[in-house]
Amino acid sequence: MIMITPEPGNRPAPASREAARRPPSFRSPGGAPGTLTAVPHADQSQTTQKGAPVTYPGPPRPAEVSATPLADLAAQLGVTTPEAAPAASGDIAVTGITHDSRAVRPGDLYAALPGARVHGADFAAQAASLGAVAALTDPAGAQRVTDAGLAALVVDNPRAQMGELAATIYGHPGRDLLQIGITGTSGKTTTAYLVEGGLRTVRNTGLIGTVEMRIGDERIKSERTTPEATDLQALFAVMRERGVDAVAMEVSSHALVLGRVDACVFDVAVFNNLSPEHMEFHSGMEDYFQAKAQLFTRERSKQGVVNFDDEYGRRLVAECAERDYPVVTFSAEGHPDADWRAEDVEVGALGSTLTVVGPKGERIAAEAPIAGPFNVANTLAAIVTLAVAGIDPQTAADGVAAVSGVPGRLERVDAGQPYLAVVDYAHKTDAVESVLRALRKVTENKLHIVLGCGGDRDKTKRMPMGAAAARYADTAILTSDNPRSEDPLAILATMLMGAADVPSHERGEVQVFEDRAAAIAAAVARAEPGDTVLVAGKGHEQGQDIAGVVRPFDDRLVLRAAIEATVDNQKTQG
């Protein structure tokens, strides 16, 4: 353990005894080798084949799919004849599509995509053995596909065609859904949950995002924020099949750049904010902004809802006006130039209350069901989005207020301890600062944070995150997040440099533990009545990636276990 001790008197004075009486609270096995360009799915879906149940990896697919002639798909691509097609290629019918060779089902079109390390065509034989009838690939993969006995649809950029093909194969299911897409750096998940909560008051809903996918009441673990196009169109088809008629989903910048939402035309697109993130993927903030801005075009959405308080949001509004794309704006700060704004905001320990003022002078009583000023903005975004989608604003506000919480977002862990303990997904500088400021308002005494930075991701945020933890918390315990292939100590050394840059009179005590469980236990051991313990960075995640091996690890469970051990020990000593 490494420790930096602050100078005396460098932290804010404890809150009043009256504040102390207010209860601080925040609402609370490996498969066979396959296509390495796709992340394996932890979930499985079950269907029937010849009357017997069959389990497949990956998210569910519709039970009934009308067969699409391969020739029709070739014509859609402008490919006249599948390369090296079997003699009966004219009779080939396609009933599904996947980019993952392990998830192939009989009748599938296998999308053999080029990858960073290997080519999907290397797994064409596996796909053929599982029942694939053809493959979509590029010229580099064509020979390997035909050698596996599959008809090949060859195009220069198969990823760019995958979404439209998937939509065709599944009968364009998105056209039968009210689609709401949320993008931005922070708040996508919370806003999606709030939007879905409002939609539930009048529609049968689905949800797609970082934490989970929902089809009605069925919940499926997510492997990425926005699924690949093949899985996304299948999910839409399942939703339609099961009576879902509206979906709220997160749309990541990766999804926009990599074509995961191709063939989607959102009824409403939402922009929350933009701050540095994913700089390992984007060349800079301009590239990041341009990726997000793609969503606000008529090719991808019908109307936008944009945060007027955000600098990039205002820029987006101006650019949309230049291309005659319709936008509605909102301002949690009450800016008079916004179409919708928040007034009479009261931030509390459990959540916040506000009045939503509309463009026609409407005044809607609303509640943010999750604490923190930033969740006032998320709540306002959700209510405005629902109003734009045609839902009565007060009905929307009531539905949003009824949302019980969002997994891993200021999620409270209560095991009988006399202090507040929460888990949050904050994993970038702005988010860390925001959540610490919000918690400071409901913390009587000291605020302790456990925080790490992920490996093989944006390295530029490590020093600023270390600095934010040291500056805004009384104790900053730096630890491992998901180090992946990187040396955990190297990541921590960079975070520590950021913490050390904070002037000593502004800096809390800093500790370093490579082991995350030990770091959480250390924070719990320091906590006293009236304190707050925040475990940040992983939120809802249930695993920790160290050297390519994902081990079971849930911050909520580890934090609870540490608290229970401390409480039990105190009872024994007492």
Side-chain angles (χ1 to χ4, degrees):
M1 182 189 78
I2 303 171
M3 180 182 297
I4 300 177
T5 305
E7 294 180 357
N10 69 332
R11 308 311 294 162
S16 67
R17 292 295 126 183
E18 180 180 349
R21 287 192 291 271
R22 295 195 304 265
S25 173
F26 280 81
R27 197 162 296 180
S28 66
T35 308
L36 300 183
T37 53
V39 176
H41 296 283
D43 299 286
Q44 296 180 326
S45 56
Q46 192 173 79
T47 186
T48 56
Q49 186 174 325
K50 297 182 179 179
V54 180
T55 299
Y56 291 99
R61 296 204 206 169
E64 300 292 335
V65 179
S66 298
T68 302
L70 183 63
D72 289 359
L73 299 178
Q76 179 175 323
L77 295 171
V79 178
T80 54
T81 305
E83 290 193 12
S89 63
D91 299 326
I92 292 178
V94 176
T95 54
I97 180 172
T98 183
H99 60 284
D100 186 340
S101 62
R102 297 160 295 189
V104 166
R105 304 185 187 188
D108 271 3
L109 174 68
Y110 168 53
L113 308 177
R117 298 190 184 96
V118 296
H119 199 293
D122 292 339
F123 305 99
Q126 181 186 35
S129 71
L130 292 174
V133 295
L136 169 71
T137 193
D138 62 359
Q143 187 64 50
R144 281 168 282 182
V145 164
T146 55
D147 287 348
L150 295 176
L153 300 178
V154 182
V155 294
D156 290 335
N157 186 357
R159 177 174 282 281
Q161 305 293 335
M162 195 166 64
E164 292 291 348
L165 285 182
T168 297
I169 291 166
Y170 293 119
H172 297 279
R175 294 175 182 174
D176 297 317
L177 304 173
L178 171 66
Q179 298 178 54
I180 296 177
I182 299 111
T183 198
T185 304
S186 299
K188 290 191 301 296
T189 299
T190 297
T191 303
Y193 270 82
L194 298 178
V195 168
E196 193 267 349
L199 286 172
R200 273 178 178 262
T201 61
V202 294
R203 288 178 173 266
N204 298 317
T205 60
L207 175 72
I208 299 173
T210 305
V211 177
E212 63 183 348
M213 298 174 285
R214 288 186 190 168
I215 304 171
D217 292 326
E218 181 184 358
R219 307 175 80 159
I220 304 163
K221 180 180 178 295
S222 293
E223 289 296 334
R224 49 167 61 92
T225 297
T226 310
E228 282 287 2
T230 54
D231 292 334
L232 181 59
Q233 295 299 322
L235 280 167
F236 283 170
V238 174
M239 288 180 182
R240 179 179 62 184
E241 190 174 66
R242 298 184 187 177
V244 169
D245 59 7
V247 59
M249 65 177 284
E250 300 176 50
V251 182
S252 67
S253 60
H254 292 69
L256 290 159
V257 172
L258 298 175
R260 294 176 190 163
V261 291
D262 287 357
C264 295
V265 179
F266 293 93
D267 293 280
V268 185
V270 186
F271 179 89
N272 279 338
N273 49 63
L274 200 72
S275 60
E277 174 74 330
H278 304 305
M279 291 299 108
E280 81 288 350
F281 181 76
H282 297 287
S283 61
M285 284 299 293
E286 180 62 22
D287 183 57
Y288 188 27
F289 171 77
Q290 293 299 336
K292 296 287 192 183
Q294 290 183 42
L295 185 58
F296 300 86
T297 59
R298 293 185 182 275
E299 292 76 21
R300 294 198 183 272
S301 61
K302 299 175 183 177
Q303 185 162 2
V305 171
V306 178
N307 183 1
F308 197 76
D309 296 330
D310 184 80
E311 176 186 359
Y312 284 98
R314 293 190 294 274
R315 174 182 169 186
L316 181 61
V317 170
E319 293 186 4
C320 287
E322 291 176 359
R323 56 177 178 265
D324 196 29
Y325 172 89
V327 165
V328 172
T329 59
F330 67 92
S331 170
E333 297 175 4
H335 199 292
D337 291 340
D339 297 310
W340 295 76
R341 62 187 185 276
E343 292 185 356
D344 308 323
V345 177
E346 295 288 340
V347 178
L350 286 172
S352 304
T353 60
L354 62 148
T355 299
V356 178
V357 180
K360 298 178 181 179
E362 309 98 318
R363 297 185 69 85
I364 297 104
E367 295 181 19
I370 310 171
F374 45 90
N375 281 317
V376 172
N378 293 333
T379 297
L380 181 60
I383 294 170
V384 173
T385 298
L386 292 163
V388 169
I391 297 173
D392 173 74
Q394 189 63 63
T395 301
D398 293 344
V400 168
V403 174
S404 59
V406 180
R409 273 64 178 174
L410 284 178
E411 184 173 351
R412 183 175 179 178
V413 175
D414 192 347
Q417 77 278 7
Y419 54 85
L420 177 64
V422 293
V423 170
D424 193 79
Y425 192 52
H427 60 284
K428 42 195 169 287
T429 308
D430 288 355
V432 170
E433 292 180 0
S434 295
V435 72
L436 285 172
R437 284 175 172 149
L439 287 169
R440 177 66 71 185
K441 293 179 180 179
V442 295
T443 300
E444 176 200 357
N445 291 322
K446 292 187 175 182
L447 176 56
H448 316 281
I449 183 173
V450 177
L451 180 69
C453 289
D456 301 332
R457 298 294 186 269
D458 184 3
K459 296 182 179 181
T460 63
K461 67 181 183 181
R462 294 174 184 174
M463 286 183 64
M465 284 179 64
R471 177 174 282 113
Y472 294 106
D474 296 287
T475 309
I477 301 179
L478 309 181
T479 189
S480 298
D481 187 277
N482 291 306
R484 301 182 177 88
S485 69
E486 289 195 60
D487 181 354
L489 289 180
I491 298 172
L492 287 168
T494 305
M495 292 185 71
L496 188 59
M497 288 172 61
D501 281 346
V502 178
S504 59
H505 65 281
E506 299 178 9
R507 184 175 64 217
E509 182 174 318
V510 179
Q511 300 181 2
V512 177
F513 288 83
E514 180 180 355
D515 182 85
R516 190 172 182 87
I520 293 172
V524 168
R526 297 178 67 83
E528 297 181 353
D531 286 3
T532 295
V533 173
L534 166 65
V535 180
K538 290 174 60 61
H540 63 281
E541 294 179 3
Q542 298 177 24
Q544 186 179 28
D545 188 338
I546 303 175
V549 178
V550 179
R551 300 166 172 82
F553 197 103
D554 188 322
D555 280 351
R556 297 162 295 187
L557 298 180
V558 175
L559 177 56
R560 179 176 294 277
I563 294 170
E564 289 174 345
T566 302
V567 170
D568 289 345
N569 184 53
Q570 290 172 346
K571 288 180 180 179
T572 301
Q573 293 178 350

